[in-house]
Amino acid sequence: KEHGLHILINYASNQDAAEKTKNQIEEAGGTAELIPFKVQNYSEVTDVISKWIGLNPDSKIEVLVNNAGITKDNLLVFMESEDFSDVIDINLKGVYNTTKAVINHMVRNRYGRIINIASYAGVRGVPGQTNYSSSKGGTIAFTRSLAQEVAKRKITVNAIAPGFIESDMTKDLDTDQLKKLVPMNRFGKPEEVSGTASFLASESAAYITGEVININGGL
């Protein structure tokens, strides 16, 4: 609502959660619709987004937030090949697939905001997460490279690297122990990440590109 944008909510399988998100947006005075596809499937992503653009010729996709992600943690000596591949396919190849599906559209419109959700793990590396850290480190490199390619078209590409944030991905962690590592002595809130994403999507951030913004309480 803040930016006057109609929101396209992607999901892979959890339609109930997607519907809940849609309802929350509408209750706040915004508009939204669901577009299901699996980000790791290039042809599926391309087909769904191309179809939407074709059916909405008077609309423009102005902002893309790449935030799909999974973890399959293990020490490398115990990590199976599919656990490495699955994380890379969703977390990194998914960024390529969705961005590739909209980038020509943004270039033609000479405007765009691409916001990639990376991680502290991609900045520093985390033991037991060679797959996840690789996917997020790759996302950061992808961000910095693409930013240089499309800057002249008024398209910005930035990444956000959260630390420990209260979410489904951290609900099973030992919060009391881990928050001792954080100078602010707490986990972050989802709103503290989404607020930064909202800023990067705004006109106020038009001269910021290729950046990685760490949100980690000083970790």
Side-chain angles (χ1 to χ4, degrees):
K1 181 184 177 184
E2 179 181 343
H3 300 297
L5 297 171
H6 177 69
I7 308 298
L8 305 179
I9 303 168
N10 166 249
Y11 67 97
S13 58
N14 194 342
Q15 184 170 346
D16 289 342
E19 290 282 3
K20 181 179 179 181
T21 300
K22 180 175 180 290
N23 292 337
Q24 290 173 334
I25 292 170
E26 292 172 345
E27 288 169 4
T31 62
E33 67 181 281
L34 307 185
I35 53 166
F37 57 75
K38 294 180 179 178
V39 297
Q40 67 269 41
N41 188 317
Y42 177 82
S43 60
E44 186 178 336
V45 174
T46 303
D47 290 346
V48 171
I49 292 180
S50 295
K51 182 178 179 181
W52 189 92
I53 292 173
L55 292 173
N56 297 272
D58 296 326
S59 299
K60 298 177 182 177
I61 296 178
E62 296 184 334
V63 179
L64 170 65
V65 179
N66 284 308
N67 64 343
I70 64 168
T71 57
K72 290 192 175 183
D73 296 351
N74 215 333
L75 296 175
L76 185 65
V77 293
F78 302 120
M79 186 178 292
E80 299 295 335
S81 175
E82 59 268 25
D83 291 341
F84 192 91
S85 297
D86 289 348
V87 170
I88 295 295
D89 283 348
I90 290 176
N91 297 9
L92 180 56
K93 190 166 185 286
V95 172
Y96 164 80
N97 290 342
T98 52
T99 305
K100 184 68 163 62
V102 303
I103 195 66
N104 287 340
H105 177 79
M106 288 181 171
V107 167
R108 285 195 298 271
N109 292 326
R110 299 185 67 85
Y111 183 86
R113 298 281 187 271
I114 298 171
I115 303 164
N116 298 321
I117 306 302
S119 171
Y120 172 82
V123 177
R124 294 291 300 273
V126 173
Q129 288 193 325
T130 52
N131 50 3
Y132 187 76
S133 297
S134 296
S135 71
K136 294 305 184 176
T139 296
I140 289 171
F142 179 97
T143 297
R144 289 172 169 156
S145 297
L146 182 61
Q148 297 176 65
E149 294 181 11
V150 297
K152 291 181 180 179
R153 298 292 180 175
K154 298 182 180 178
I155 300 168
T156 65
V157 191
N158 292 289
I160 296 172
F164 296 116
I165 306 296
E166 296 172 359
S167 69
D168 288 343
M169 291 182 73
T170 59
K171 62 181 172 51
D172 296 326
L173 298 179
D174 188 341
T175 305
D176 290 336
Q177 282 298 113
L178 290 172
K179 72 180 183 182
K180 293 177 182 178
L181 302 174
V182 183
M184 286 190 178
N185 198 37
R186 67 174 177 87
F187 277 20
K189 299 176 181 178
E191 295 80 6
E192 292 171 318
V193 177
S194 63
T196 301
S198 180
F199 167 69
L200 290 174
S202 72
E203 280 302 308
S204 297
Y207 202 55
I208 300 173
T209 196
E211 288 299 317
V212 181
I213 300 177
N214 292 279
I215 304 176
N216 58 30
L219 187 64

